[in-house]
Structure formats: structure tokens, C-alpha cells
Amino acid sequence: IGQKSGPRVEFVKGADKIHVMIGGELFTSYMYGGELTKTVLYPVKTPSGIKVNRGFPFEKIEGEAVDHAHHVGIFFTYDMVNDVGFWNNKTFPPRVIHKEVTAMKGGQGIGELSTVMEWTGMNENVLLEEKRTMVFTAGKGQYAIDFSIDLTAQDKKVVFGDTKEGMFAI
């Protein structure tokens, strides 16, 4: 993967996270594990280093709202998958569990991170497998993230309930 212009995109593994570095500076981190109930990208920064998402609940910032603790970074979930709420959960189960990285390729102006996750219900049964590819593009003064997400039901039929809670948020 690569292109001929733009700052280099690289990935650096950390504890329960993968840092996305652009031109040697942190752009975002793909975070999973620990107390997280879903995978998230946090923080997300502009090319000039300004954070575009709030710090709560990862860090306290004077004057920043501390409501909706489930609204963290950039995330993808849905409430009411077979009557299991993945959107508002702050404890687990349920949980979207990172299982593996299937691709991690940096390059000049572009990088790709692909992962597999399992959406586990209240009895820790796997309802969905999520395959996600995130392409990070860095151009002069601008960054972009392109998400491709495939959800596959596992052992039984999956029904997404009628709710306002989902699917993609920052």
C-alpha cells in the first residue's frame, strides 16, 4: 500500500492499542481491551495537532461535559442486537472484543489497518463477527479515515432492533 506524496503513515503497537503515526506524530490510536466495551479510535487529531474529540472518560478537561461515558473517540456499535444493547454499555457483558489484526501496512501518505472483532452478548455468546478495514490517508494539511465494515451473524439469526442508538459516532 502506498502513494507517492503526503507524510508517511506508520503503526506502532502498544499495550491494548495501536498508534497511528503520521509524519512521526500521533494522529490517533486504535484502542481495545482493558475496561473498554468496544474498540475506539482515540484521540483523533488534525494535522496541526488539535484534538477533534472530547477527552472524557479517558481524561478530564476543565469545562468539558462528563455525560454519556459511552461516547468515546470514534466508535461503531448498535443498540439492540437481538435485544442486547451494545451502544450504551459501560460495563461488560455485552462487549465488542478485538480478536486479531489481519493487516497492518504503512506507506507514503497512506496506511491500512484491518482487524477482526466479536460482538459478544450477555452470556458471552458471539452474535456477530466484525471485519473492519481502516485506511488512513495523509495529504498536505489534511487527514482522512475510510472505514469498511462487514458484520456476519454467527450461530443464529441476528435482528437489529428499531432504535436511534447506532451505528457510527465521534
Side-chain angles (χ1 to χ4, degrees), residues 127-141:
L127 298 174
L128 294 166
E129 178 185 71
E130 176 182 337
K131 291 183 179 175
R132 179 187 302 184
T133 296
M134 296 166 282
V135 176
F136 301 90
T137 306
K140 185 175 180 176

Side-chain angles (χ1 to χ4, degrees), residues 10 12 23 28 37 43-45 56 59 68 81 88 90-91 95 106 110 121 131 138 152 155 162 168:
E10 298 176 300
V12 178
T28 191
T37 59
V44 181
K45 296 182 177 183
F56 182 77
E59 57 185 306
H68 294 85
V81 177
N88 289 311
K90 294 180 269 314
T91 60
R95 187 176 190 180
I110 196 165
K131 291 183 179 175
T152 305
D155 295 333
D162 185 10
F168 195 81

Side-chain angles (χ1 to χ4, degrees), residues 42-85:
Y42 177 85
V44 181
K45 296 182 177 183
T46 66
S48 63
I50 298 169
K51 208 175 344 173
V52 298
N53 53 343
R54 70 182 190 160
F56 182 77
F58 297 117
E59 57 185 306
K60 286 195 155 214
I61 298 172
E62 178 100 20
E64 185 178 81
V66 293
D67 62 342
H68 294 85
H70 58 284
H71 288 180
V72 291
I74 294 177
F75 65 97
F76 175 82
T77 59
Y78 193 84
D79 214 28
M80 298 299 106
V81 177
N82 286 7
D83 295 321
V84 177

Side-chain angles (χ1 to χ4, degrees), residues 2 18 38 50 61 71 93-94 96 101 105 115 120-121 128 132 136 139 144 169-170:
I18 298 171
K38 58 191 160 251
I50 298 169
I61 298 172
H71 288 180
V96 178
V101 171
K105 304 175 217 161
T115 61
T120 59
L128 294 166
R132 179 187 302 184
F136 301 90
I170 181 170

